[in-house]
Amino acid sequence: MFEQDVHFLEQHTDVVVLSRGLAEVAVCPEMQGRVMTSTAGGPNGLSYGWINRDFIASGENNLHMNPFGGEDRVWLGPEGGQFSLFFKNGDPFDLDHWFTPGALNEDVYPVIEQSRERVVFEKDMILKNYSDTEFRIRLNREVLLLDISSVTGDLGVNIDPAVQTVAYESVNTITNTGEVDWTRETGLVSVWILGMFNPSPATTVVLPFVPGPEAELGPIVNDAYFGKVPEDRLVIREDVLFFRCDGEYRSKIGLSATRCRPIMGSWDAENGVLTLVSYTRPEGAMEYVNSMWELQEEPFAGDVVNSYNDGPPAPGEKPMGPFYELESSSPAAALAPGESLSHVHRTIHLKGAREALDAVARKALGVSIDEIEKVF
């Protein structure tokens, strides 16, 4: 339950709870201003975000990554490659040498504004990439609880008032506070938002995509992050793909700028929850940072959206979660001093009558709930 999760978090860190009716969102300034969890059903409602209770209770600071969990956390990309923010110059691209920048992993994000439905953070940081380029960045992050009219306008569909709905967005703005331009030659950064959710044995991620020949648009999906995803976990149809996210098999997929749509989602058949994620994509934007762990031939041909399914990293080992992720990225930010780039990532959870949720799924994702359930 949401109330139990908030009580646990309050034992270990500061918590800002945003509320609008039965919709509530828990945000943690000391955990980089991340949305830890949300509910559409009030204090006793289902809690949607994955929270790593054992790690939080331990008080550990893991320099590789503090896996606190959370439905919406902000990172900056790229993760791998010659312009990586997670590897030092000359280090091999492996887990032993992978470190999340401290400003994204352990720093407190000061609250500069707060109301019942909104909280705003501001954080200054200095980051250096694999090519030793230094970035001076101001990150402004706003988390805002949305009303139903904003949700229906975004989806282009009416939502039955009886459906329990929570919708919120994070507005993430990076500003070049240095004295030099950020250029392609020395590396660019991007805003990267990752949402970690509780899986069930019957959770399926749905990614609509732009159909068309590979000769023109490139591969439909990138599934090479942790080895090719088996056919019983990734099914591709004409303009939509389905990814099994049960938290039992470590795998990741991504869609490029030529293939992605501005919407993705998941259906948890066990709990009857439809989750939708949308994000802003500037018209004509095609250059996105590449996070593959290798020296890259195309460092600005990265994925726009990703989904990750947690699982054992090796036979016999324990998974980190389990959890699954829905992620979005901004374009690569070629900013002159004083210029800014903003990326908005919106998360919506709906729980209610199957017929009402089916109408939303058909409109937003282009498939029915029955179709989703029959894939795997």
Side-chain angles (χ1 to χ4, degrees), residues 218-242:
I220 292 173
V221 61
N222 174 10
D223 66 348
Y225 284 93
F226 301 109
K228 188 168 179 61
V229 181
E231 292 182 358
D232 64 343
R233 291 188 163 272
L234 178 62
V235 172
I236 301 174
R237 299 281 169 79
E238 182 180 356
D239 59 359
V240 63
L241 63 81
F242 305 89

PDB file of all heavy atoms in Angstrom, residues 218-242:
ATOM      1  N   GLY A 218      15.950   1.732 -40.660  1.00  0.00           N
ATOM      2  CA  GLY A 218      16.830   1.004 -39.751  1.00  0.00           C
ATOM      3  C   GLY A 218      16.096  -0.101 -39.026  1.00  0.00           C
ATOM      4  O   GLY A 218      14.889  -0.319 -39.228  1.00  0.00           O
ATOM      5  N   PRO A 219      16.786  -0.839 -38.161  1.00  0.00           N
ATOM      6  CA  PRO A 219      16.160  -1.950 -37.438  1.00  0.00           C
ATOM      7  C   PRO A 219      14.971  -1.461 -36.622  1.00  0.00           C
ATOM      8  O   PRO A 219      14.950  -0.331 -36.126  1.00  0.00           O
ATOM      9  CB  PRO A 219      17.282  -2.452 -36.528  1.00  0.00           C
ATOM     10  CG  PRO A 219      18.544  -1.984 -37.171  1.00  0.00           C
ATOM     11  CD  PRO A 219      18.218  -0.688 -37.832  1.00  0.00           C
ATOM     12  N   ILE A 220      13.984  -2.341 -36.463  1.00  0.00           N
ATOM     13  CA  ILE A 220      12.805  -1.984 -35.680  1.00  0.00           C
ATOM     14  C   ILE A 220      13.167  -1.777 -34.223  1.00  0.00           C
ATOM     15  O   ILE A 220      12.723  -0.824 -33.585  1.00  0.00           O
ATOM     16  CB  ILE A 220      11.723  -3.067 -35.822  1.00  0.00           C
ATOM     17  CG1 ILE A 220      11.174  -3.064 -37.249  1.00  0.00           C
ATOM     18  CG2 ILE A 220      10.589  -2.859 -34.809  1.00  0.00           C
ATOM     19  CD1 ILE A 220      10.212  -4.199 -37.541  1.00  0.00           C
ATOM     20  N   VAL A 221      13.983  -2.658 -33.680  1.00  0.00           N
ATOM     21  CA  VAL A 221      14.285  -2.608 -32.252  1.00  0.00           C
ATOM     22  C   VAL A 221      15.756  -2.953 -32.013  1.00  0.00           C
ATOM     23  O   VAL A 221      16.333  -3.760 -32.738  1.00  0.00           O
ATOM     24  CB  VAL A 221      13.361  -3.579 -31.467  1.00  0.00           C
ATOM     25  CG1 VAL A 221      13.567  -5.020 -31.913  1.00  0.00           C
ATOM     26  CG2 VAL A 221      13.561  -3.452 -29.963  1.00  0.00           C
ATOM     27  N   ASN A 222      16.343  -2.326 -31.030  1.00  0.00           N
ATOM     28  CA  ASN A 222      17.679  -2.663 -30.558  1.00  0.00           C
ATOM     29  C   ASN A 222      17.510  -3.579 -29.350  1.00  0.00           C
ATOM     30  O   ASN A 222      17.065  -3.133 -28.292  1.00  0.00           O
ATOM     31  CB  ASN A 222      18.442  -1.386 -30.175  1.00  0.00           C
ATOM     32  CG  ASN A 222      19.795  -1.666 -29.539  1.00  0.00           C
ATOM     33  OD1 ASN A 222      20.276  -2.797 -29.535  1.00  0.00           O
ATOM     34  ND2 ASN A 222      20.415  -0.630 -29.000  1.00  0.00           N
ATOM     35  N   ASP A 223      17.872  -4.842 -29.504  1.00  0.00           N
ATOM     36  CA  ASP A 223      17.759  -5.776 -28.372  1.00  0.00           C
ATOM     37  C   ASP A 223      19.118  -6.406 -28.055  1.00  0.00           C
ATOM     38  O   ASP A 223      19.196  -7.517 -27.544  1.00  0.00           O
ATOM     39  CB  ASP A 223      16.714  -6.855 -28.636  1.00  0.00           C
ATOM     40  CG  ASP A 223      17.085  -7.801 -29.765  1.00  0.00           C
ATOM     41  OD1 ASP A 223      18.047  -7.499 -30.505  1.00  0.00           O
ATOM     42  OD2 ASP A 223      16.435  -8.853 -29.899  1.00  0.00           O
ATOM     43  N   ALA A 224      20.179  -5.638 -28.317  1.00  0.00           N
ATOM     44  CA  ALA A 224      21.535  -6.175 -28.149  1.00  0.00           C
ATOM     45  C   ALA A 224      22.198  -5.746 -26.842  1.00  0.00           C
ATOM     46  O   ALA A 224      23.374  -6.026 -26.634  1.00  0.00           O
ATOM     47  CB  ALA A 224      22.408  -5.731 -29.323  1.00  0.00           C
ATOM     48  N   TYR A 225      21.467  -5.082 -25.976  1.00  0.00           N
ATOM     49  CA  TYR A 225      22.085  -4.550 -24.758  1.00  0.00           C
ATOM     50  C   TYR A 225      22.683  -5.658 -23.883  1.00  0.00           C
ATOM     51  O   TYR A 225      23.808  -5.558 -23.414  1.00  0.00           O
ATOM     52  CB  TYR A 225      21.052  -3.764 -23.944  1.00  0.00           C
ATOM     53  CG  TYR A 225      20.748  -2.395 -24.508  1.00  0.00           C
ATOM     54  CD1 TYR A 225      19.685  -2.203 -25.391  1.00  0.00           C
ATOM     55  CD2 TYR A 225      21.508  -1.298 -24.160  1.00  0.00           C
ATOM     56  CE1 TYR A 225      19.391  -0.950 -25.901  1.00  0.00           C
ATOM     57  CE2 TYR A 225      21.227  -0.029 -24.662  1.00  0.00           C
ATOM     58  CZ  TYR A 225      20.164   0.132 -25.537  1.00  0.00           C
ATOM     59  OH  TYR A 225      19.889   1.369 -26.045  1.00  0.00           O
ATOM     60  N   PHE A 226      21.910  -6.692 -23.628  1.00  0.00           N
ATOM     61  CA  PHE A 226      22.370  -7.796 -22.770  1.00  0.00           C
ATOM     62  C   PHE A 226      22.250  -9.130 -23.507  1.00  0.00           C
ATOM     63  O   PHE A 226      21.989 -10.165 -22.910  1.00  0.00           O
ATOM     64  CB  PHE A 226      21.558  -7.844 -21.471  1.00  0.00           C
ATOM     65  CG  PHE A 226      21.647  -6.579 -20.671  1.00  0.00           C
ATOM     66  CD1 PHE A 226      20.560  -5.736 -20.569  1.00  0.00           C
ATOM     67  CD2 PHE A 226      22.830  -6.212 -20.030  1.00  0.00           C
ATOM     68  CE1 PHE A 226      20.636  -4.554 -19.831  1.00  0.00           C
ATOM     69  CE2 PHE A 226      22.912  -5.042 -19.297  1.00  0.00           C
ATOM     70  CZ  PHE A 226      21.818  -4.210 -19.197  1.00  0.00           C
ATOM     71  N   GLY A 227      22.462  -9.112 -24.804  1.00  0.00           N
ATOM     72  CA  GLY A 227      22.273 -10.302 -25.616  1.00  0.00           C
ATOM     73  C   GLY A 227      20.878 -10.296 -26.213  1.00  0.00           C
ATOM     74  O   GLY A 227      19.949  -9.688 -25.678  1.00  0.00           O
ATOM     75  N   LYS A 228      20.725 -10.960 -27.318  1.00  0.00           N
ATOM     76  CA  LYS A 228      19.458 -10.962 -28.036  1.00  0.00           C
ATOM     77  C   LYS A 228      18.334 -11.489 -27.151  1.00  0.00           C
ATOM     78  O   LYS A 228      18.470 -12.499 -26.463  1.00  0.00           O
ATOM     79  CB  LYS A 228      19.575 -11.810 -29.302  1.00  0.00           C
ATOM     80  CG  LYS A 228      18.352 -11.716 -30.202  1.00  0.00           C
ATOM     81  CD  LYS A 228      18.616 -12.328 -31.550  1.00  0.00           C
ATOM     82  CE  LYS A 228      17.371 -12.236 -32.437  1.00  0.00           C
ATOM     83  NZ  LYS A 228      16.981 -10.821 -32.660  1.00  0.00           N
ATOM     84  N   VAL A 229      17.193 -10.806 -27.193  1.00  0.00           N
ATOM     85  CA  VAL A 229      16.049 -11.195 -26.378  1.00  0.00           C
ATOM     86  C   VAL A 229      15.347 -12.386 -27.032  1.00  0.00           C
ATOM     87  O   VAL A 229      15.059 -12.355 -28.233  1.00  0.00           O
ATOM     88  CB  VAL A 229      15.065 -10.019 -26.224  1.00  0.00           C
ATOM     89  CG1 VAL A 229      13.884 -10.426 -25.344  1.00  0.00           C
ATOM     90  CG2 VAL A 229      15.779  -8.802 -25.635  1.00  0.00           C
ATOM     91  N   PRO A 230      15.061 -13.454 -26.284  1.00  0.00           N
ATOM     92  CA  PRO A 230      14.408 -14.635 -26.859  1.00  0.00           C
ATOM     93  C   PRO A 230      13.022 -14.320 -27.433  1.00  0.00           C
ATOM     94  O   PRO A 230      12.356 -13.366 -27.010  1.00  0.00           O
ATOM     95  CB  PRO A 230      14.294 -15.593 -25.657  1.00  0.00           C
ATOM     96  CG  PRO A 230      15.313 -15.122 -24.679  1.00  0.00           C
ATOM     97  CD  PRO A 230      15.413 -13.642 -24.869  1.00  0.00           C
ATOM     98  N   GLU A 231      12.603 -15.144 -28.381  1.00  0.00           N
ATOM     99  CA  GLU A 231      11.323 -14.933 -29.057  1.00  0.00           C
ATOM    100  C   GLU A 231      10.135 -15.048 -28.113  1.00  0.00           C
ATOM    101  O   GLU A 231       9.070 -14.481 -28.394  1.00  0.00           O
ATOM    102  CB  GLU A 231      11.169 -15.928 -30.206  1.00  0.00           C
ATOM    103  CG  GLU A 231      12.140 -15.693 -31.355  1.00  0.00           C
ATOM    104  CD  GLU A 231      11.927 -16.661 -32.504  1.00  0.00           C
ATOM    105  OE1 GLU A 231      11.039 -17.533 -32.376  1.00  0.00           O
ATOM    106  OE2 GLU A 231      12.625 -16.535 -33.522  1.00  0.00           O
ATOM    107  N   ASP A 232      10.281 -15.788 -27.016  1.00  0.00           N
ATOM    108  CA  ASP A 232       9.164 -15.910 -26.081  1.00  0.00           C
ATOM    109  C   ASP A 232       9.079 -14.717 -25.133  1.00  0.00           C
ATOM    110  O   ASP A 232       8.234 -14.690 -24.237  1.00  0.00           O
ATOM    111  CB  ASP A 232       9.248 -17.216 -25.280  1.00  0.00           C
ATOM    112  CG  ASP A 232      10.479 -17.280 -24.382  1.00  0.00           C
ATOM    113  OD1 ASP A 232      11.418 -16.491 -24.596  1.00  0.00           O
ATOM    114  OD2 ASP A 232      10.499 -18.121 -23.471  1.00  0.00           O
ATOM    115  N   ARG A 233       9.948 -13.700 -25.368  1.00  0.00           N
ATOM    116  CA  ARG A 233       9.928 -12.501 -24.534  1.00  0.00           C
ATOM    117  C   ARG A 233       9.802 -11.217 -25.349  1.00  0.00           C
ATOM    118  O   ARG A 233       9.587 -10.154 -24.779  1.00  0.00           O
ATOM    119  CB  ARG A 233      11.195 -12.426 -23.668  1.00  0.00           C
ATOM    120  CG  ARG A 233      11.208 -13.502 -22.606  1.00  0.00           C
ATOM    121  CD  ARG A 233      12.329 -13.349 -21.612  1.00  0.00           C
ATOM    122  NE  ARG A 233      12.032 -14.160 -20.430  1.00  0.00           N
ATOM    123  CZ  ARG A 233      11.342 -13.761 -19.386  1.00  0.00           C
ATOM    124  NH1 ARG A 233      10.870 -12.522 -19.362  1.00  0.00           N
ATOM    125  NH2 ARG A 233      11.105 -14.548 -18.368  1.00  0.00           N
ATOM    126  N   LEU A 234       9.927 -11.305 -26.639  1.00  0.00           N
ATOM    127  CA  LEU A 234       9.822 -10.125 -27.508  1.00  0.00           C
ATOM    128  C   LEU A 234       9.094 -10.525 -28.777  1.00  0.00           C
ATOM    129  O   LEU A 234       9.592 -11.342 -29.555  1.00  0.00           O
ATOM    130  CB  LEU A 234      11.214  -9.579 -27.837  1.00  0.00           C
ATOM    131  CG  LEU A 234      11.273  -8.375 -28.784  1.00  0.00           C
ATOM    132  CD1 LEU A 234      10.560  -7.166 -28.183  1.00  0.00           C
ATOM    133  CD2 LEU A 234      12.729  -8.025 -29.114  1.00  0.00           C
ATOM    134  N   VAL A 235       7.929  -9.950 -28.975  1.00  0.00           N
ATOM    135  CA  VAL A 235       7.110 -10.246 -30.154  1.00  0.00           C
ATOM    136  C   VAL A 235       6.873  -8.949 -30.910  1.00  0.00           C
ATOM    137  O   VAL A 235       6.448  -7.942 -30.328  1.00  0.00           O
ATOM    138  CB  VAL A 235       5.764 -10.884 -29.747  1.00  0.00           C
ATOM    139  CG1 VAL A 235       4.845 -11.007 -30.958  1.00  0.00           C
ATOM    140  CG2 VAL A 235       5.993 -12.248 -29.112  1.00  0.00           C
ATOM    141  N   ILE A 236       7.158  -8.962 -32.205  1.00  0.00           N
ATOM    142  CA  ILE A 236       7.028  -7.774 -33.046  1.00  0.00           C
ATOM    143  C   ILE A 236       5.887  -7.981 -34.032  1.00  0.00           C
ATOM    144  O   ILE A 236       5.886  -8.947 -34.792  1.00  0.00           O
ATOM    145  CB  ILE A 236       8.339  -7.493 -33.794  1.00  0.00           C
ATOM    146  CG1 ILE A 236       9.493  -7.291 -32.801  1.00  0.00           C
ATOM    147  CG2 ILE A 236       8.188  -6.264 -34.688  1.00  0.00           C
ATOM    148  CD1 ILE A 236      10.852  -7.161 -33.455  1.00  0.00           C
ATOM    149  N   ARG A 237       4.930  -7.075 -34.004  1.00  0.00           N
ATOM    150  CA  ARG A 237       3.829  -7.066 -34.964  1.00  0.00           C
ATOM    151  C   ARG A 237       4.047  -5.928 -35.964  1.00  0.00           C
ATOM    152  O   ARG A 237       5.110  -5.324 -36.007  1.00  0.00           O
ATOM    153  CB  ARG A 237       2.504  -6.917 -34.222  1.00  0.00           C
ATOM    154  CG  ARG A 237       2.218  -8.060 -33.234  1.00  0.00           C
ATOM    155  CD  ARG A 237       1.707  -9.313 -33.926  1.00  0.00           C
ATOM    156  NE  ARG A 237       1.686 -10.486 -33.037  1.00  0.00           N
ATOM    157  CZ  ARG A 237       0.753 -10.733 -32.128  1.00  0.00           C
ATOM    158  NH1 ARG A 237      -0.245  -9.881 -31.962  1.00  0.00           N
ATOM    159  NH2 ARG A 237       0.812 -11.828 -31.393  1.00  0.00           N
ATOM    160  N   GLU A 238       3.036  -5.625 -36.740  1.00  0.00           N
ATOM    161  CA  GLU A 238       3.187  -4.665 -37.836  1.00  0.00           C
ATOM    162  C   GLU A 238       3.648  -3.289 -37.365  1.00  0.00           C
ATOM    163  O   GLU A 238       4.542  -2.672 -37.961  1.00  0.00           O
ATOM    164  CB  GLU A 238       1.869  -4.520 -38.593  1.00  0.00           C
ATOM    165  CG  GLU A 238       1.956  -3.571 -39.780  1.00  0.00           C
ATOM    166  CD  GLU A 238       0.641  -3.446 -40.525  1.00  0.00           C
ATOM    167  OE1 GLU A 238      -0.318  -4.151 -40.161  1.00  0.00           O
ATOM    168  OE2 GLU A 238       0.568  -2.642 -41.456  1.00  0.00           O
ATOM    169  N   ASP A 239       3.049  -2.762 -36.286  1.00  0.00           N
ATOM    170  CA  ASP A 239       3.418  -1.432 -35.814  1.00  0.00           C
ATOM    171  C   ASP A 239       3.463  -1.328 -34.292  1.00  0.00           C
ATOM    172  O   ASP A 239       3.389  -0.237 -33.729  1.00  0.00           O
ATOM    173  CB  ASP A 239       2.460  -0.374 -36.374  1.00  0.00           C
ATOM    174  CG  ASP A 239       1.017  -0.634 -35.980  1.00  0.00           C
ATOM    175  OD1 ASP A 239       0.743  -1.641 -35.281  1.00  0.00           O
ATOM    176  OD2 ASP A 239       0.150   0.177 -36.364  1.00  0.00           O
ATOM    177  N   VAL A 240       3.601  -2.466 -33.633  1.00  0.00           N
ATOM    178  CA  VAL A 240       3.679  -2.484 -32.181  1.00  0.00           C
ATOM    179  C   VAL A 240       4.484  -3.708 -31.747  1.00  0.00           C
ATOM    180  O   VAL A 240       4.424  -4.754 -32.400  1.00  0.00           O
ATOM    181  CB  VAL A 240       2.267  -2.486 -31.548  1.00  0.00           C
ATOM    182  CG1 VAL A 240       1.508  -3.741 -31.916  1.00  0.00           C
ATOM    183  CG2 VAL A 240       2.335  -2.323 -30.037  1.00  0.00           C
ATOM    184  N   LEU A 241       5.252  -3.555 -30.686  1.00  0.00           N
ATOM    185  CA  LEU A 241       5.962  -4.717 -30.164  1.00  0.00           C
ATOM    186  C   LEU A 241       5.596  -4.930 -28.702  1.00  0.00           C
ATOM    187  O   LEU A 241       5.168  -4.012 -28.000  1.00  0.00           O
ATOM    188  CB  LEU A 241       7.475  -4.585 -30.341  1.00  0.00           C
ATOM    189  CG  LEU A 241       8.248  -3.481 -29.640  1.00  0.00           C
ATOM    190  CD1 LEU A 241       8.546  -3.835 -28.187  1.00  0.00           C
ATOM    191  CD2 LEU A 241       9.559  -3.209 -30.360  1.00  0.00           C
ATOM    192  N   PHE A 242       5.770  -6.177 -28.258  1.00  0.00           N
ATOM    193  CA  PHE A 242       5.402  -6.594 -26.910  1.00  0.00           C
ATOM    194  C   PHE A 242       6.637  -7.197 -26.244  1.00  0.00           C
ATOM    195  O   PHE A 242       7.329  -8.026 -26.839  1.00  0.00           O
ATOM    196  CB  PHE A 242       4.273  -7.626 -26.949  1.00  0.00           C
ATOM    197  CG  PHE A 242       3.053  -7.168 -27.698  1.00  0.00           C
ATOM    198  CD1 PHE A 242       2.931  -7.385 -29.070  1.00  0.00           C
ATOM    199  CD2 PHE A 242       2.021  -6.513 -27.034  1.00  0.00           C
ATOM    200  CE1 PHE A 242       1.807  -6.967 -29.771  1.00  0.00           C
ATOM    201  CE2 PHE A 242       0.897  -6.091 -27.732  1.00  0.00           C
ATOM    202  CZ  PHE A 242       0.788  -6.315 -29.090  1.00  0.00           C
TER     203      PHE A 242
END
